[in-house]
Amino acid sequence: MSKIIINGNKELTGEVKISGAKNSAVALIPAAILARNKSIIYNVPEISDIDYLLNIMELLNCKIEHKNDSLIIDSSNIINKPIPEELSVQMRASYYFMGVLLAKFGKVEISFPGGCNIGARPIDIHIKGFEELGAKVEIVKNRYTITAEELKGKKIYFDFPSVGATINIMLAAVGAKGTTIIENAATEPEIVNVASFLINMGVKIRGAGTKTIEIEGTKELDNGVCEVFPDRIESGTYIIIGALLGKDLKIKGIIKEHIEALLMKLEEIGIKYKIENDTLTISKCDNIKSTYIKTLVFPGFPTDLQQPMTTLLTQAHGKSIIEETLYENRFKNTYDLNRMGAVTNVLSLNKLEIKGPRKLKGTKVIATDLRGGASLLIAGLIAEGTTEIENSEYILRGYGNVIGKLKSIGADVEICE
Ligand code: UD1
């Protein structure tokens, strides 16, 4: 159990560099199993979800070498083994072993994935997709055995453009005979990142980043090289921090097109920033306006920035409304925000009201999930006095070197076990 302690209300200045995207990296690492022998993945973030994933890679006999922020993965001696529940429940992304092991061996045995408790998070779209490709899925008490003598490419329609299902079916389709077409695919940047890696290995993929993706099954794959895109959610989190406490705070590693929904919302509520090349500069805004936000799939406002944004809106003038359309349990952070002095009301399962501006005061709080933890971290940074965040492991799952980065720009923040 670790605890983050923050003495708040410090001006933040200097430069912070954004790490590689968690949700890309957690798919790229299992995807390396499909490569002929070795893969190199650059710009891998230093987060605990990656460590959990590498435990599974090592169980499957992959050799992992770390070089600064790169990973060299040698999968030439891979062995297909059942993945024990205690490993698969450590993170959501363990579900990507379904797609890759099915493509490579035609068999996988794994448990229902873990991840933050922000809703039911079913994986029925993944399973339906595997079945449409010809796999047999047996589920006994959360344990999935998926087998296929031969996967056959097919046109598949997704009832919802799920990020995880799009990547998982893309991975499985590599091992299928013929062409797979995913209709109503997710268009998040992470999908483009994974597709580029597979293309680099020699797979023919068209349309990644659009609603229709076409994958040609390929048996002869090459070695793979790729770079993890900068994390758009980490970028957004530091931009929000800059809007609350920055003095010409520079955030390096910005891809504007990945965070357009956030940037436009910030402009709408009076927050100014400047972007030059890949660096965004932002200062504290003293007159933030209230707003209405609805979380949507990309390119809509990302659900993963909803909780950090809630903290920002506690400082906005007037009443804001957030409508969360992706998850049914993503307002748990508001309990502690209110204990710090915020005024938020959960109006219904997916609607939150925030009244501002309210001065926040440091106190003892508990992170209940990754982005909820980030919301409390931001609250601690703007609060008067000391905030102690228990269960801060959640935050470390998705924010690389968060303490070092915040300290380097002037925050008074420590972590203790
Ligand atoms: C991924 C991200 C997560 C992010 C989310 C939405 C990873 C490892 N995690 O999660 O950080 O919050 O995208 O941007 O990349 N759904 C179903 N059935 C399915 C799959 C999904 O009903 O088979 C529903 C989910 O319950 C949820 C919505 O679809 O309501 C979005 O899920 P999805 O896009 O699949 O997100 P995750 O892969 O869980």
Side-chain angles (χ1 to χ4, degrees):
M1 297 281 250
S2 68
K3 183 157 67 172
I4 292 180
I5 303 168
I6 311 160
N7 290 308
N9 205 16
K10 305 275 186 276
E11 188 175 83
L12 304 181
T13 190
E15 184 178 290
V16 65
K17 188 176 172 292
I18 299 305
S19 303
K22 162 182 165 289
N23 289 347
S24 282
V26 296
L28 292 166
I29 292 169
I33 285 177
L34 297 174
R36 183 151 56 95
N37 294 311
K38 272 193 180 176
S39 294
I40 305 179
I41 307 176
Y42 296 105
N43 199 29
V44 177
E46 232 183 281
I47 51 174
S48 50
D49 265 18
I50 299 292
D51 301 332
Y52 298 142
L53 210 57
L54 292 179
N55 289 337
I56 300 182
M57 295 292 282
E58 279 171 352
L59 171 91
L60 300 174
N61 214 28
C62 294
K63 279 211 188 85
I64 313 286
E65 209 184 309
H66 297 259
K67 262 199 187 158
N68 304 317
D69 62 358
S70 305
L71 281 182
I72 302 166
I73 300 175
D74 185 346
S75 63
S76 30
N77 295 315
I78 183 158
I79 303 170
N80 192 15
K81 284 189 193 165
I83 298 170
E85 180 166 18
E86 60 269 25
L87 294 184
S88 53
V89 297
Q90 283 181 321
M91 91 229 83
R92 183 87 186 142
S94 58
Y95 52 33
Y96 292 132
F97 288 98
M98 291 181 171
V100 286
L101 293 178
L102 198 56
K104 184 106 180 173
F105 298 103
K107 178 162 186 188
V108 54
E109 197 189 313
I110 192 167
S111 297
F112 190 80
C116 288
N117 179 11
I118 52 178
R121 310 186 83 180
I123 56 165
D124 55 310
I125 302 169
H126 306 231
I127 298 305
K128 198 172 152 207
F130 296 139
E131 284 174 336
E132 293 210 48
L133 292 180
K136 253 182 58 197
V137 183
E138 234 186 294
I139 310 168
V140 181
K141 287 193 185 155
N142 275 349
R143 191 98 186 130
Y144 289 70
T145 306
I146 312 176
T147 46
E149 263 170 40
E150 185 182 65
L151 294 170
K152 276 201 186 127
K154 186 173 178 223
K155 191 167 186 166
I156 297 173
Y157 174 81
F158 280 172
D159 292 323
F160 183 87
S162 149
V163 175
T166 301
I167 294 178
N168 232 343
I169 298 308
M170 210 160 70
L171 294 168
V174 172
K177 202 169 166 201
T179 305
T180 300
I181 300 172
I182 307 173
E183 289 288 2
N184 198 26
T187 62
E188 270 74 357
E190 293 76 46
I191 286 136
V192 180
N193 214 172
V194 177
S196 317
F197 190 31
L198 296 174
I199 290 168
N200 180 269
M201 290 180 203
V203 185
K204 287 204 177 88
I205 301 182
R206 284 175 292 274
T210 75
K211 303 298 288 173
T212 306
I213 306 179
E214 235 180 277
I215 308 112
E216 277 180 36
T218 320
K219 285 277 173 247
E220 293 296 310
L221 279 92
D222 221 323
N223 293 332
V225 181
C226 73
E227 179 165 358
V228 185
F229 289 169
D231 195 305
R232 61 197 170 97
I233 306 303
E234 190 196 16
S235 304
T237 305
Y238 281 102
I239 293 171
I240 289 171
I241 291 172
L244 292 166
L245 292 159
K247 169 92 191 305
D248 291 325
L249 180 68
K250 291 193 168 13
I251 301 156
K252 190 174 166 51
I254 296 290
I255 299 181
K256 189 169 178 276
E257 293 72 18
H258 291 183
I259 51 168
E260 207 77 73
L262 171 74
L263 293 177
M264 294 188 70
K265 194 46 82 176
L266 294 182
E267 278 176 38
E268 179 197 310
I269 62 177
I271 293 166
K272 296 192 171 60
Y273 60 87
K274 208 172 64 198
I275 298 183
E276 260 177 291
N277 303 319
D278 72 341
T279 302
L280 182 146
T281 307
I282 189 161
S283 294
K284 178 178 177 182
C285 174
D286 288 314
N287 195 15
I288 304 173
K289 291 184 227 154
S290 58
T291 189
Y292 163 80
I293 290 176
K294 185 173 183 172
T295 65
L296 289 168
V297 297
F298 189 81
F301 194 93
T303 172
D304 287 353
L305 281 175
Q306 178 264 105
Q307 291 161 302
M309 194 68 181
T310 298
T311 306
L312 182 127
L313 292 175
T314 66
Q315 304 309 302
H317 291 258
K319 190 170 84 179
S320 297
I321 298 283
I322 290 186
E323 213 179 314
E324 168 60 66
T325 71
L326 278 101
Y327 296 112
E328 60 274 19
N329 199 5
R330 222 174 191 183
F331 295 141
K332 283 191 281 186
N333 55 318
T334 59
Y335 173 76
D336 272 334
L337 283 180
N338 287 355
R339 289 183 55 250
M340 293 177 77
V343 178
T344 73
N345 300 302
V346 178
L347 302 177
S348 65
L349 211 55
N350 70 342
K351 222 178 228 179
L352 179 75
E353 171 191 74
I354 306 150
K355 289 181 184 160
R358 291 290 189 280
K359 276 208 158 53
L360 302 189
K361 273 208 180 117
T363 186
K364 288 188 181 180
V365 296
I366 303 175
T368 56
D369 55 89
L370 163 57
R371 307 300 171 187
S375 153
L376 297 177
L377 180 70
I378 300 168
L381 289 170
I382 59 175
E384 288 289 345
T386 305
T387 301
E388 290 187 16
I389 309 177
E390 277 178 30
N391 287 357
S392 56
E393 302 79 6
Y394 278 116
I395 300 171
L396 310 182
R397 290 179 62 167
Y399 292 92
N401 186 24
V402 62
I403 303 299
K405 286 186 188 182
L406 286 172
K407 273 186 168 182
S408 76
I409 53 174
D412 182 347
V413 53
E414 295 291 341
I415 187 158
C416 55
E417 295 303 320

